[in-house]
């Protein structure tokens, strides 16, 4: 476990997010992102995926522990329309900003809670923070997701992505990672997909992007994007980041989020020096992301 891996994880997440954002959504969303996808200095902007990951990292650094109330306040304060939040979470966070308790707000849009991938896309930070306390990781991932995602499927995605990130800090063996991460999952949509992912990794088969999308999904639901992202990160672990990112674009659908989760796991395994430096230089707020990684690392080292 090294600082370079923590930086690789957060910057890999942000880079996957920013590079994927132009490909997300329908024609309207893509046109809007053409207008707002760069800062005034011309740097690539990232979306809600990175913002919420930063919120968790900065909260953990300040509080020295996972504090759900502090996290809810930060999520609500950071909310900006222009970061492309999921529609349900956008409403929920505006309620929290007006004073609602997240424990009620998290069922105010969808009665069962959201099963979107918004709890999972920020979970790599939980993986970094709890890697050396692995027994506590699953509960922490669920709690961090539950502020906006009360649905068990939304939380299972967070557990999977946090586990894969934590495991990638300690081993570069894809099969070991997929098996240990799958051991944390109990819900059928995850278990079945993870079984296929393990099989593909084991036999070294390389299905094309449309086949990956067909089997695992490329949607906004946690159950149709988290296994996709973890599988892609593990398959491309020993190959260049840009090859992995291109594959995410080809898989299509929720490209920023699949790219963010895959980028985080890949970055945790390979470290910041392995990321494409020319693209990193184009990324907004790189200094803030590195500082957040350093503060997180200082909290666990
Ligand atoms: O999960 P969430 O934060 O969205 C994250 C996604 C990522 O792709 C980001 O990059 C950003 O673009 O948004 O936001 P939610 O609004 O909670 O969930 C996303 C969507 O999933 C919702 O807007 C619904 O379309 C769908 N969804 C549900 N639909 C019906 N019933 C989530 N939960 C439900 C549900 O219970
Ligand atoms: Mg996004
Ligand atoms: Mg997305």
């Amino acid at each position: 476990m090294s600082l370079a891996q923590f930086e690789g994880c957060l910057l890999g997440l942000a880079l996957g997010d920013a590079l994927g954002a132009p490909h997300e959504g329908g024609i309207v969303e893509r046109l809007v992102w053409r207008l707002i996808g760069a800062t005034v200095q011309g740097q690539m902007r990232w979306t809600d995926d990175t913002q919420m990951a930063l919120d968790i990292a900065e909260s953990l650094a300040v509080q020295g522990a996972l504090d759900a109330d502090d996290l809810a306040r930060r999520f609500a304060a950071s909310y900006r329309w222009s970061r492309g939040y999921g529609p349900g979470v956008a409403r929920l966070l505006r309620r929290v900003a007006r004073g609602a308790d997240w424990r009620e707000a998290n069922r105010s849009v969808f009665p069962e809670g959201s099963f979107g991938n918004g709890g999972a896309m920020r979970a790599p930070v939980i993986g970094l923070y709890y890697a050396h306390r692995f027994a506590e990781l699953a509960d922490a991932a669920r709690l961090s997701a539950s502020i906006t995602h009360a649905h068990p499927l939304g939380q299972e995605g967070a557990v999977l992505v946090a586990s894969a990130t934590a495991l990638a800090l300690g081993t570069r063996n894809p099969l070991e990672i997929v098996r240990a991460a799958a051991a944390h999952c109990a819900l059928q949509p995850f278990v079945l997909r993870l079984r296929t992912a393990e099989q593909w990794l084991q036999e070294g088969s390389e299905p094309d992007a449309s086949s990956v999308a067909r089997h695992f999904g490329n949607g906004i639901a946690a159950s149709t994007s988290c296994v996709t992202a973890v599988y892609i990160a593990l398959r491309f672990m020993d190959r260049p980041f840009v090859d992995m990112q291109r594959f995410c674009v080809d898989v299509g659908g929720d490209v920023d989020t699949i790219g963010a989760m895959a980028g985080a796991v890949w970055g945790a395994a390979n470290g910041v020096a392995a990321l494409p430096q020319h693209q990193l230089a184009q990324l907004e707020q790189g200094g803030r992301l590195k500082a957040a990684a350093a503060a997180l690392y200082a909290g666990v080292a």
Side-chain angles (χ1 to χ4, degrees):
M1 194 152 92
S2 68
L3 174 59
Q5 288 178 296
F6 276 51
E7 290 178 345
C9 180
L10 282 196
L11 287 162
L13 188 157
L15 204 51
D17 178 12
L19 290 168
H23 304 277
E24 197 198 17
I27 183 89
V28 176
E29 285 90 348
R30 288 175 194 217
L31 279 174
V32 169
W33 197 252
R34 272 211 209 168
L35 299 175
I36 65 168
T39 66
V40 280
Q41 291 85 19
Q43 291 194 300
M44 284 188 288
R45 291 183 72 228
W46 30 253
T47 77
D48 56 330
D49 308 52
T50 304
Q51 180 61 61
M52 296 188 106
L54 270 173
D55 289 335
I56 301 186
E58 291 169 355
S59 175
L60 285 168
V62 171
Q63 304 297 327
L66 184 59
D67 178 334
D69 293 317
D70 182 65
L71 214 45
R73 276 192 295 273
R74 284 172 190 267
F75 286 160
S78 298
Y79 171 77
R80 299 282 180 281
W81 164 86
S82 69
R83 293 284 181 200
Y85 284 73
V89 161
R91 284 170 62 191
L92 185 162
L93 291 180
R94 286 197 294 263
R95 275 182 199 154
V96 173
R98 289 196 299 268
D101 191 318
W102 63 266
R103 291 167 192 81
E104 284 150 29
N106 68 2
R107 289 178 196 276
S108 64
V109 182
F110 304 111
E112 312 270 295
S114 171
F115 53 61
N117 54 18
M121 69 195 185
R122 60 196 192 227
V125 177
I126 300 294
L128 296 180
Y129 197 74
Y130 282 90
H132 69 303
R133 291 192 273 160
F134 202 68
E136 298 167 51
L137 179 143
D139 284 344
R142 273 190 207 98
L143 177 61
S144 71
S146 68
I147 295 156
T148 49
H149 291 68
H151 198 291
L153 286 170
Q155 296 180 19
E156 183 104 324
V159 173
L160 172 64
V161 173
S163 306
T165 307
L167 292 158
L169 294 173
T171 172
R172 300 180 52 83
N173 181 334
L175 273 177
E176 210 178 299
I177 295 174
V178 77
R179 283 181 188 141
H184 274 130
C185 295
L187 302 180
Q188 205 71 335
F190 285 83
V191 171
L192 295 178
R193 286 176 172 85
L194 283 163
R195 211 172 281 160
T196 304
E198 180 184 337
Q199 193 189 327
W200 284 353
L201 291 166
Q202 185 160 20
E203 55 191 38
S205 59
E206 304 233 313
D208 63 13
S210 65
S211 184
V212 171
R214 207 166 50 248
H215 280 85
F216 298 155
N218 62 4
I220 202 169
S223 59
T224 59
S225 48
C226 296
V227 176
T228 318
V230 168
Y231 165 74
I232 292 172
L234 299 180
R235 171 168 158 181
F236 284 85
M237 184 165 282
D238 292 321
R239 284 178 253 184
F241 180 91
V242 291
D243 292 0
M244 177 179 72
Q245 215 281 319
R246 198 173 310 121
F247 194 81
C248 289
V249 172
D250 291 344
V251 166
D254 194 355
V255 182
D256 70 331
T257 302
I258 292 172
M261 296 188 290
V265 174
W266 191 100
N270 290 299
V272 66
L275 291 170
Q277 300 302 310
H278 62 289
Q279 287 177 327
L280 267 192
Q282 297 289 311
L283 186 69
E284 70 161 320
Q285 299 188 48
R288 181 180 175 195
L289 287 156
K290 277 199 168 182
L296 262 187
Y297 186 69
V300 300

